[in-house]
Amino acid sequence: MFHTSHIEISKSAYKKNIQYLKGLVGSKTKISSVVKGNAYGHGINNIVPLAEANGINHFSVFSAAEALQVYDAKKPKSEVMIMGSVDDNEIEWAIENDIEFYVFDNDRLDKALEIAEKIKKRARIHIEAETGFNRTGFSYDQLPQLVKKLKDNQQYYFLEGLCTHYAGAESISNYVRVRDQIGLYRKFARYFTHHKLIPIIKHTACSAGLLMYPTTIMDMVRLGIAQYGFWPSPETQMFRFRKEVGDINHLHRLITWKSRVMVVKNVEAGEFVGYGSSFLANTKLKIAIVPVGYSNGFGRSLSNKGRVLIRGKRVPVIGTVTMNTITLNVTDVPSVERGDEVVIIGKQKRLSISVASFSEMSNDLNYQALTRLPADIPRYIVK
Ligand SMILES: *Cc1c(COP(=O)(O)O)cnc(C)c1O
């Protein structure tokens, strides 16, 4: 009620994904569930309890605002780690609430040490190494200064981790770059060990790292896209397929996005459908209007291109996607009536619309298509 579409999230699909991924990760390595971007569009408040029910008790986010959402959704024992943005005034909140956070430059380190001293509580920090992504992280030549500062201030922090992030582990074309990053990370780790600074855990792998480069697994893996049932790229899927022979379908999409037909009507030959003149009916048509448009996450670029499922058939979007509606050509499904279920992403009877096909049409990645699903569409957990 009160919404024009909703998203279902499959509990059983999540469980299967985690079982498969746990098998690859091994029993000695912890999994951190990456729930930035509103849990890749699935909703932080949905995914956190699901992950906990599957034995995961560590969560990674980008910002302090997301950490707060996880904090409200998690069990007391679960941990939260901020990989990106924490303002100076959020650091105090993070330290007070045992939130772990990345430290990737001197400003943040100084601030963390200063606040830890002020509030008499140790900051739980992960030192990020810049190994070639060229985003955040201490560079190798900053290490002497960094190590000195860390040694001089040991009472103000716990060195929870030493970490890095790979630039393009999802494609073999980046092999040299990733291999160099792995090598440089090891150099960082040796430098720390040599100076008797021992991080509690070492972690570097994202989904693609886990799937393509087993040496990146270490003490913890930060799993985003794979837990939601998507391969980081078609290449990673083929790579696992060649290793595992047999069942190619180890990852299962959790989400199904559904709406309903709002209006059904006929259009005479020679009429235009929608704004402007992008669609001309050549013959008499039956059309159905569905109350989902670009403001609801159905991109305008899918005008005259998108496909959805209705009564178990695939039907085309005709004319322009408007702010709040799409129009379907349902001439070939004459029984369609108001109130019929429309599947925008997911399965209906024997057909399925993948996020990839939904997004390929607009040249987006799964990552982008998922995180663009508006947060205000209600999400429900289903079996
Ligand atoms: C997003 C992110 C991940 C997870 O990446 P996936 O490809 O979704 O598994 C891991 N580490 C960092 C630093 C990230 O930003």
Side-chain angles (χ1 to χ4, degrees):
M1 276 232 294
F2 304 131
H3 283 281
T4 62
S5 72
H6 73 273
I7 290 171
E8 296 173 357
I9 296 173
S10 165
K11 197 154 83 175
S12 53
Y14 188 78
K15 187 172 180 180
K16 282 188 217 159
N17 296 342
I18 296 301
Q19 274 168 353
Y20 169 64
L21 295 166
K22 274 189 177 162
L24 297 179
V25 168
S27 58
K28 293 197 191 76
T29 298
K30 182 149 105 174
I31 294 179
S32 180
S33 164
V34 180
V35 292
K36 64 191 183 194
N38 198 28
Y40 292 51
H42 295 69
I44 283 179
N45 56 334
N46 294 314
I47 295 302
V48 167
L50 261 189
E52 287 175 332
N54 285 277
I56 294 174
N57 51 27
H58 193 278
F59 296 93
S60 298
V61 293
F62 176 75
S63 66
E66 292 170 335
L68 180 57
Q69 280 181 277
V70 175
Y71 193 81
D72 289 340
K74 77 181 183 66
K75 290 190 176 145
K77 278 201 180 129
S78 295
E79 311 282 2
V80 190
M81 177 175 83
I82 302 170
M83 305 183 291
S85 166
V86 205
D87 278 358
D88 289 354
N89 51 11
E90 293 162 341
I91 286 185
E92 182 161 340
W93 169 80
I95 298 176
E96 247 161 17
N97 292 286
D98 285 316
I99 310 282
E100 305 168 21
F101 53 93
Y102 276 28
V103 168
F104 43 64
D105 61 18
N106 280 309
D107 283 354
R108 186 173 291 179
L109 181 57
D110 292 344
K111 201 76 203 168
L113 296 174
E114 178 196 316
I115 292 171
E117 184 177 8
K118 184 182 99 183
I119 67 171
K120 301 195 172 54
K121 185 161 182 201
R122 290 182 185 220
R124 301 179 61 189
I125 63 171
H126 292 253
I127 297 290
E128 186 183 17
E130 171 58 82
T131 58
F133 194 116
N134 286 311
R135 186 168 61 176
T136 47
F138 287 96
S139 57
Y140 192 75
D141 59 17
Q142 288 179 294
L143 280 185
Q145 192 209 357
L146 171 65
V147 162
K148 179 166 189 319
K149 198 178 280 178
L150 288 173
K151 295 217 95 157
D152 290 346
N153 290 282
Q154 303 226 22
Q155 68 275 36
Y156 298 127
Y157 65 88
F158 294 111
L159 185 54
E160 296 284 344
L162 177 65
C163 54
T164 196
H165 188 47
Y166 299 110
E170 72 287 347
S171 171
I172 214 75
S173 64
N174 304 320
Y175 174 77
V176 174
R177 189 169 173 205
V178 172
R179 187 200 58 194
D180 290 350
Q181 283 195 270
I182 297 172
L184 185 50
Y185 176 81
R186 291 208 178 108
K187 245 174 97 177
F188 270 88
R190 282 197 299 273
Y191 195 99
F192 270 68
T193 316
H194 182 75
H195 290 87
K196 307 219 160 38
L197 277 172
I198 311 296
I200 299 170
I201 60 167
K202 297 193 185 110
H203 56 103
T204 68
C206 56
S207 300
L210 164 69
L211 294 163
M212 306 268 276
Y213 298 90
T215 55
T216 65
I217 294 174
M218 307 184 198
D219 304 315
M220 181 170 86
V221 294
R222 305 181 305 261
L223 290 188
I225 198 91
Q227 68 177 313
Y228 305 106
F230 300 92
W231 298 91
S233 63
E235 227 176 292
T236 38
Q237 181 174 18
M238 290 325 289
F239 181 79
R240 294 311 314 180
F241 179 57
R242 287 184 46 205
K243 284 198 151 286
E244 283 156 19
V245 190
D247 185 7
I248 188 171
N249 196 17
H250 283 301
L251 294 178
H252 308 269
R253 179 182 56 229
L254 313 187
I255 66 163
T256 304
W257 183 17
K258 291 179 178 174
S259 182
R260 293 199 174 277
V261 172
M262 179 171 81
V263 169
V264 178
K265 65 166 84 179
N266 297 309
V267 173
E268 295 301 326
E271 296 276 315
F272 289 103
V273 175
Y275 283 125
S277 49
S278 75
F279 186 88
L280 173 66
N282 290 319
T283 56
K284 195 171 182 229
L285 297 180
K286 181 175 179 183
I287 63 172
I289 317 295
V290 180
V292 172
Y294 57 79
S295 75
N296 314 104
F298 199 98
R300 201 171 175 283
S301 57
L302 295 169
S303 296
N304 283 309
K305 281 201 192 119
R307 298 269 187 283
V308 301
L309 304 178
I310 186 164
R311 298 217 168 200
K313 296 237 162 58
R314 201 180 302 274
V315 298
V317 172
I318 58 172
T320 43
V321 173
T322 75
M323 190 183 290
N324 295 103
T325 60
I326 50 174
T327 302
L328 310 175
N329 181 354
V330 293
T331 312
D332 296 337
V333 204
S335 55
V336 167
E337 54 190 44
R338 187 167 73 86
D340 277 359
E341 178 188 271
V342 175
V343 169
I344 305 164
I345 294 173
K347 250 182 110 163
Q348 193 188 52
K349 301 247 169 74
R350 282 150 68 187
L351 293 182
S352 173
I353 305 229
S354 66
V355 172
S357 70
F358 176 77
S359 56
E360 251 160 38
M361 286 187 274
S362 56
N363 288 322
D364 288 338
L365 292 163
N366 283 333
Y367 291 87
Q368 186 174 315
L370 288 167
T371 50
R372 277 186 177 178
L373 292 172
D376 61 0
I377 301 175
R379 276 101 165 132
Y380 306 109
I381 308 273
V382 299
K383 188 170 77 64

Coordinates of all heavy atoms in Angstrom, one line a residue, residues 126-157:
H126 N 42.4 1.0 11.0 CA 43.0 0.2 9.9 C 43.8 1.1 9.1 O 43.3 2.1 8.5 CB 41.9 -0.4 9.0 CG 41.0 -1.4 9.7 ND1 41.1 -2.7 9.5 CD2 40.1 -1.2 10.7 CE1 40.2 -3.4 10.3 NE2 39.6 -2.5 11.0
I127 N 45.1 0.8 9.0 CA 46.0 1.6 8.1 C 45.8 1.2 6.7 O 46.0 0.0 6.4 CB 47.5 1.5 8.6 CG1 47.7 2.0 10.0 CG2 48.4 2.2 7.6 CD1 47.5 3.5 10.1
E128 N 45.5 2.1 5.8 CA 45.3 1.8 4.4 C 46.6 2.1 3.6 O 47.1 3.2 3.7 CB 44.1 2.5 3.8 CG 43.9 2.1 2.4 CD 42.8 2.8 1.6 OE1 42.4 3.9 2.1 OE2 42.3 2.3 0.6
A129 N 47.0 1.1 2.9 CA 48.2 1.3 2.0 C 47.8 1.7 0.6 O 46.9 1.1 0.0 CB 49.0 -0.1 2.0
E130 N 48.4 2.7 0.1 CA 48.3 3.1 -1.3 C 49.2 2.2 -2.1 O 50.4 2.3 -2.1 CB 48.6 4.5 -1.5 CG 48.7 5.0 -2.9 CD 47.4 4.8 -3.7 OE1 46.5 5.7 -3.5 OE2 47.3 3.8 -4.4
T131 N 48.6 1.2 -2.9 CA 49.4 0.3 -3.6 C 49.2 0.4 -5.1 O 49.8 -0.4 -5.9 CB 49.1 -1.2 -3.2 OG1 47.7 -1.4 -3.5 CG2 49.4 -1.5 -1.8
G132 N 48.5 1.4 -5.6 CA 48.4 1.6 -7.0 C 47.0 2.0 -7.5 O 46.8 2.3 -8.7
F133 N 46.0 1.9 -6.6 CA 44.7 2.4 -7.0 C 44.7 3.9 -7.3 O 44.0 4.4 -8.1 CB 43.7 2.1 -5.9 CG 42.2 2.2 -6.2 CD1 41.4 1.0 -6.2 CD2 41.7 3.4 -6.6 CE1 40.1 1.1 -6.6 CE2 40.3 3.5 -6.9 CZ 39.5 2.4 -6.9
N134 N 45.5 4.6 -6.5 CA 45.6 6.0 -6.5 C 44.3 6.7 -6.1 O 43.8 7.6 -6.8 CB 46.2 6.5 -7.8 CG 47.7 6.3 -7.9 OD1 48.4 6.6 -6.9 ND2 48.1 5.7 -9.0
R135 N 43.8 6.2 -5.0 CA 42.7 6.9 -4.4 C 43.1 7.3 -3.0 O 43.5 8.4 -2.8 CB 41.5 5.9 -4.4 CG 40.2 6.6 -3.9 CD 38.9 5.7 -4.1 NE 38.9 4.4 -3.5 CZ 37.9 3.6 -3.5 NH1 36.8 3.9 -4.2 NH2 38.0 2.4 -2.8
T136 N 43.0 6.4 -2.0 CA 43.4 6.8 -0.6 C 44.4 5.8 -0.2 O 44.6 4.7 -0.7 CB 42.2 6.8 0.3 OG1 41.4 5.6 0.1 CG2 41.2 8.0 0.1
G137 N 45.1 6.2 0.9 CA 46.2 5.3 1.5 C 47.5 6.0 1.6 O 47.8 6.9 0.9
F138 N 48.3 5.5 2.6 CA 49.6 6.0 2.8 C 50.5 5.4 1.7 O 50.4 4.3 1.4 CB 50.2 5.6 4.1 CG 49.6 6.4 5.3 CD1 48.5 5.8 6.0 CD2 50.1 7.6 5.6 CE1 48.0 6.5 7.1 CE2 49.6 8.3 6.7 CZ 48.5 7.8 7.4
S139 N 51.4 6.3 1.1 CA 52.3 5.7 0.1 C 53.5 5.2 0.8 O 53.8 5.5 2.0 CB 52.7 6.8 -0.9 OG 53.2 7.9 -0.2
Y140 N 54.2 4.3 0.1 CA 55.3 3.6 0.7 C 56.4 4.5 1.3 O 56.9 4.3 2.4 CB 55.9 2.6 -0.3 CG 56.9 1.6 0.4 CD1 56.4 0.6 1.1 CD2 58.2 1.8 0.2 CE1 57.2 -0.4 1.7 CE2 59.1 0.9 0.8 CZ 58.6 -0.2 1.6 OH 59.4 -1.1 2.2
D141 N 56.6 5.6 0.6 CA 57.7 6.5 1.1 C 57.2 7.3 2.3 O 58.1 8.0 3.0 CB 58.2 7.4 0.0 CG 57.1 8.3 -0.6 OD1 56.0 8.4 0.0 OD2 57.3 8.8 -1.7
Q142 N 55.9 7.2 2.7 CA 55.5 7.9 4.0 C 55.7 7.0 5.2 O 55.5 7.4 6.3 CB 54.0 8.2 3.9 CG 53.7 9.4 3.0 CD 52.2 9.6 2.9 OE1 51.4 8.8 2.5 NE2 51.8 10.8 3.5
L143 N 56.1 5.7 4.9 CA 56.2 4.8 6.0 C 57.1 5.1 7.2 O 56.7 5.0 8.3 CB 56.5 3.4 5.5 CG 55.3 2.6 4.9 CD1 55.7 1.2 4.5 CD2 54.1 2.6 5.9
P144 N 58.3 5.6 7.0 CA 59.1 5.9 8.1 C 58.5 6.9 9.1 O 58.4 6.6 10.3 CB 60.4 6.6 7.5 CG 60.4 6.0 6.1 CD 59.0 5.8 5.7
Q145 N 57.9 7.9 8.5 CA 57.2 8.9 9.3 C 56.0 8.3 10.0 O 55.7 8.5 11.2 CB 56.8 10.1 8.4 CG 56.3 11.3 9.2 CD 55.3 12.1 8.3 OE1 55.0 11.8 7.2 NE2 54.8 13.2 8.9
L146 N 55.2 7.5 9.3 CA 54.0 6.9 9.8 C 54.3 6.0 11.0 O 53.7 6.0 12.0 CB 53.3 6.2 8.7 CG 52.1 5.3 9.1 CD1 51.0 6.1 9.7 CD2 51.6 4.5 8.0
V147 N 55.3 5.1 10.7 CA 55.7 4.1 11.7 C 56.2 4.8 13.0 O 55.8 4.4 14.1 CB 56.7 3.1 11.1 CG1 57.4 2.4 12.3 CG2 56.0 2.2 10.2
K148 N 56.9 5.9 12.8 CA 57.4 6.6 14.0 C 56.2 7.1 14.8 O 56.1 7.0 16.0 CB 58.3 7.7 13.6 CG 58.8 8.5 14.8 CD 60.0 9.5 14.5 CE 60.6 10.1 15.7 NZ 59.6 10.5 16.7
K149 N 55.3 7.8 14.1 CA 54.1 8.3 14.8 C 53.3 7.2 15.5 O 52.8 7.4 16.6 CB 53.2 9.1 13.8 CG 52.3 10.0 14.5 CD 51.4 10.8 13.5 CE 52.2 12.0 12.9 NZ 51.4 12.7 11.9
L150 N 53.1 6.1 14.8 CA 52.4 5.0 15.4 C 53.1 4.5 16.7 O 52.5 4.2 17.7 CB 52.2 3.9 14.4 CG 51.2 4.2 13.3 CD1 51.2 3.0 12.2 CD2 49.8 4.4 13.8
K151 N 54.4 4.4 16.6 CA 55.2 3.9 17.7 C 55.2 4.8 18.9 O 55.1 4.4 20.0 CB 56.7 3.6 17.3 CG 56.8 2.5 16.2 CD 58.0 1.7 16.4 CE 57.7 0.5 17.2 NZ 58.5 -0.7 17.1
D152 N 55.2 6.1 18.6 CA 55.2 7.1 19.7 C 53.8 7.2 20.4 O 53.7 7.9 21.4 CB 55.5 8.5 19.1 CG 57.0 8.6 18.7 OD1 57.8 7.6 19.1 OD2 57.4 9.5 18.0
N153 N 52.8 6.7 19.8 CA 51.4 6.9 20.3 C 50.7 5.6 20.5 O 49.4 5.6 20.5 CB 50.6 7.8 19.3 CG 51.2 9.2 19.3 OD1 50.9 10.0 20.2 ND2 51.9 9.5 18.2
Q154 N 51.3 4.6 20.9 CA 50.7 3.3 20.9 C 49.5 3.2 21.9 O 48.7 2.3 21.8 CB 51.7 2.2 21.3 CG 52.9 2.2 20.4 CD 53.3 0.7 19.9 OE1 52.5 -0.2 20.0 NE2 54.5 0.6 19.5
Q155 N 49.5 4.0 22.9 CA 48.4 4.0 23.9 C 47.1 4.5 23.4 O 46.1 4.4 24.1 CB 48.9 4.7 25.2 CG 49.0 6.2 25.1 CD 50.4 6.7 24.6 OE1 51.0 6.0 23.7 NE2 50.9 7.8 25.2
Y156 N 47.1 5.1 22.2 CA 45.9 5.8 21.7 C 45.1 5.0 20.7 O 44.1 5.5 20.2 CB 46.2 7.2 21.2 CG 46.8 8.1 22.3 CD1 48.0 8.8 22.1 CD2 46.1 8.3 23.5 CE1 48.5 9.6 23.1 CE2 46.7 9.1 24.5 CZ 47.9 9.7 24.3 OH 48.4 10.5 25.2
Y157 N 45.6 3.9 20.3 CA 44.9 3.1 19.2 C 45.1 1.6 19.4 O 46.0 1.2 20.0 CB 45.3 3.6 17.9 CG 46.8 3.3 17.6 CD1 47.1 2.0 17.0 CD2 47.8 4.1 17.9 CE1 48.4 1.7 16.8 CE2 49.1 3.8 17.7 CZ 49.4 2.6 17.2 OH 50.7 2.2 17.0

